[in-house]
Amino acid sequence: MLFFSFGKSYNVVKRKEDIMKKIFVINLGSTSTKLAYFEDDKCIFKETLKHKAEEIKQFNSIWEQESYRKDAIDKFMMEHNIVVSELDAIVSRGGHTEPLKSGVYLINQKMLDESRSMKYGNHVSDLGILLASIYAKEGPIPLTVDTACTDEFEPLARYSGLKEIERVSRFHVLNHKAVAKKYAKDINRKYEDLNLVVCHMGGGTSVAIHHHGRLIDGNNGLDGDGPFSTDRSCGLPVGALIDMCYSGKYSYKEMRRKIKGLGGLMSYVGETDVELIQKKALEENDLECKNALDAMCYQTAKEIAAMASVVCGKVDAILITGGIANSKYLMDEITRRVSFIAPVHLYPGEFEMESLGINAYKALINEEKINAYRYKNSKDFYVVYGVNIENNVEGFYQLDTTNNS
């Protein structure tokens, strides 16, 4: 599919609503490949392909997994009679680039280059946008939505306490936005009119304040601050951490592994399976497991309260999502500590696939604009669906709003 700059003979149009949109969704995880097929904004089917850890371990980097992951996706498409050339869009969870605002983005070469550089982080989702771009050569427009590098922080949120280190926006933005918008829809309110504290609890825990449609502050749940989680240590006493780094006992790689992979519950009880740890704590009276779980809830509640302070306590609701939100015991522990701030609502699991599919659909019918990532380093360029009034040909075009061309 070709992209052109708008000329005077082009008009922007809303795509015909009677033409069904076919959308394929890719969401790569460390040991899984989540796939879904949408027709318009309805998910027709979705599936999670699980990969054996020993198979993944044979690869030295995520980039070496390209053929392995693509073969799995190709097989899925063949089994479900999905023809790539008949798709309108293929959308993937986004990779790591320079900070950018929330929204739908065209996966272009600039984005792919920054992702491949690994300068801004590295996750298997970086491979996801590469795969989307490969499939796009057969016709569909390649898109990504609310990437992990979405940055809407306010200036004060960037201060860390040390001039050389700036706090960065790195967390589960896609699921945060999806849950916040879902809650707004559930109560028949606009997301942009609400103040929400959203807490995602999965492999990592991220808590952020959503102020009138923007994520203005949140903890770095990958390897930064905030509460510890299943395998991440996050906010550690700085002095003790420095002493440990320079003790001579650990290499740089080992220390990085301690804060992400061997931290949190893994460090305290040698296990990351919350369901199993909870069973030991409550049914087998394992005090070590119970204390570790209670401490995780305690830290998470403190972070929720901290985010509420950003908007002076004027919070409409607290939303907890992620796999751990399925645990009644843990949710009760957190709720009893934070319910004085605002009502607590649970959204167990994740809503990333739905968010990717539905936002792609809205972009295809021009209800959401498609941002042209870093095009000419300007925020004024984006992609729209349009028609050439000279020959009545419909397609996607790159729009410059600075001179309406």
Side-chain angles (χ1 to χ4, degrees), residues 16 32 83 119 121 127 134 142 183 198 205 218 234 250 300 374 385 404:
K16 297 176 183 177
S32 68
V83 180
K119 177 181 178 181
L127 179 60
I134 292 172
Y183 171 74
V198 180
T205 294
C234 288
Y250 309 101
T300 302
R374 300 296 185 222
Y385 197 88
N404 198 29

Side-chain angles (χ1 to χ4, degrees), residues 360-389:
Y361 166 70
K362 288 181 177 180
L364 289 175
I365 62 173
N366 284 347
E367 286 186 6
E368 292 277 353
K369 83 176 179 183
I370 304 176
N371 297 281
Y373 180 73
R374 300 296 185 222
Y375 181 70
K376 292 185 179 179
N377 293 318
S378 172
K379 62 181 176 58
D380 300 308
F381 293 84
Y382 57 94
V383 178
V384 296
Y385 197 88
V387 61
N388 183 335
I389 61 176

Side-chain angles (χ1 to χ4, degrees), residues 4-284:
F4 307 94
S5 296
F6 265 68
K8 293 182 179 179
S9 60
Y10 295 89
N11 279 344
V12 178
V13 297
K14 184 175 181 180
R15 200 169 184 186
K16 297 176 183 177
E17 294 184 354
D18 58 345
I19 300 177
M20 183 176 67
K21 318 310 179 289
K22 297 180 179 181
I23 302 160
F24 192 72
V25 180
I26 298 173
N27 186 348
L28 301 188
S30 57
T31 57
S32 68
T33 297
K34 296 179 182 178
L35 304 170
Y37 171 71
F38 282 71
E39 290 182 350
D40 290 342
D41 57 351
K42 302 294 187 297
C43 181
I44 305 304
F45 50 79
K46 62 180 178 179
E47 188 174 329
T48 297
L49 310 179
K50 294 188 176 181
H51 309 295
K52 295 180 180 179
E54 54 265 29
E55 292 180 357
I56 297 296
K57 285 180 180 179
Q58 68 180 307
F59 302 107
N60 294 317
S61 71
I62 63 164
W63 309 111
E64 291 184 5
Q65 298 179 35
E66 181 182 327
S67 296
Y68 174 80
R69 297 280 187 156
K70 189 173 185 300
D71 288 346
I73 297 171
D74 288 343
K75 182 180 178 182
F76 177 88
M77 286 180 166
M78 187 175 297
E79 291 173 349
H80 291 84
N81 298 312
I82 297 172
V83 180
V84 177
S85 61
E86 295 178 358
L87 296 172
D88 292 281
I90 186 158
V91 56
S92 171
R93 180 157 69 113
H96 292 78
T97 62
E98 290 183 16
L100 69 172
K101 64 181 181 180
S102 173
V104 180
Y105 283 81
L106 171 70
I107 299 172
N108 57 18
Q109 194 57 49
K110 176 70 172 175
M111 178 178 285
L112 292 172
D113 290 344
E114 287 189 5
S115 170
R116 190 63 182 251
S117 75
M118 299 186 288
K119 177 181 178 181
Y120 305 97
N122 187 233
H123 183 267
V124 72
S125 58
D126 289 284
L127 179 60
I129 62 172
L130 174 62
L131 291 174
S133 71
I134 292 172
Y135 285 115
K137 294 176 182 178
E138 298 182 46
I141 181 173
L143 301 173
T144 187
V145 179
D146 291 339
T147 76
C149 289
T150 296
D151 188 347
E152 299 172 332
F153 275 17
E154 298 217 330
L156 291 179
R158 302 186 188 281
Y159 282 78
S160 67
L162 192 64
K163 188 174 182 179
E164 294 88 346
I165 299 175
E166 182 177 277
R167 294 183 70 245
V168 296
S169 176
R170 291 287 186 277
F171 51 95
H172 311 86
V173 176
L174 181 60
N175 198 44
H176 266 254
K177 288 276 188 178
V179 168
K181 290 177 180 179
K182 180 174 176 57
Y183 171 74
K185 184 177 180 181
D186 288 346
I187 63 170
N188 198 29
R189 294 276 303 277
K190 289 183 178 180
Y191 169 56
E192 293 76 13
D193 292 338
L194 299 170
N195 282 341
L196 304 170
V197 176
V198 180
C199 172
H200 176 104
M201 298 184 72
T205 294
S206 59
V207 184
I209 179 68
H210 298 235
H211 175 58
H212 295 172
R214 293 173 55 242
L215 289 159
I216 62 173
D217 198 354
N219 72 288
N220 179 347
L222 180 64
D223 60 0
D225 50 2
F228 73 77
S229 61
T230 58
D231 69 353
R232 300 171 197 180
S233 58
C234 288
L236 293 169
V238 179
L241 179 62
I242 293 173
D243 290 342
M244 197 172 185
C245 289
Y246 284 90
S247 67
K249 296 179 180 179
Y250 309 101
S251 66
Y252 172 83
K253 187 176 181 180
E254 288 172 329
M255 286 305 300
R256 295 293 301 187
R257 182 67 173 155
K258 275 189 172 292
I259 65 172
K260 182 178 179 291
L262 297 177
L265 293 178
M266 175 59 80
S267 176
Y268 287 111
V269 299
E271 178 62 64
T272 61
D273 187 328
V274 171
E275 187 175 354
L276 178 59
I277 298 171
Q278 182 175 301
K279 182 179 179 181
K280 290 182 178 180
L282 303 182
E283 297 179 19
E284 301 174 18

Side-chain angles (χ1 to χ4, degrees), residues 340-361:
F340 74 94
I341 300 170
V344 179
H345 300 271
L346 305 181
Y347 287 85
E350 53 86 11
F351 301 85
E352 294 178 340
M353 302 299 281
E354 290 82 356
S355 181
L356 289 167
I358 291 171
N359 277 287
Y361 166 70

Side-chain angles (χ1 to χ4, degrees), residues 199 201 205 207 227 293-305 318-321 324-325 327-342 344 346:
C199 172
M201 298 184 72
T205 294
V207 184
L293 288 176
D294 289 349
M296 183 173 73
C297 293
Y298 173 83
Q299 287 199 0
T300 302
K302 282 204 301 181
E303 194 70 16
I304 290 172
I318 296 167
L319 314 178
I320 307 180
T321 183
I324 294 177
S327 168
K328 184 179 184 305
Y329 174 75
L330 299 183
M331 293 305 99
D332 285 348
E333 279 296 297
I334 295 172
T335 300
R336 74 182 182 88
R337 293 183 181 277
V338 301
S339 58
F340 74 94
I341 300 170
V344 179
L346 305 181

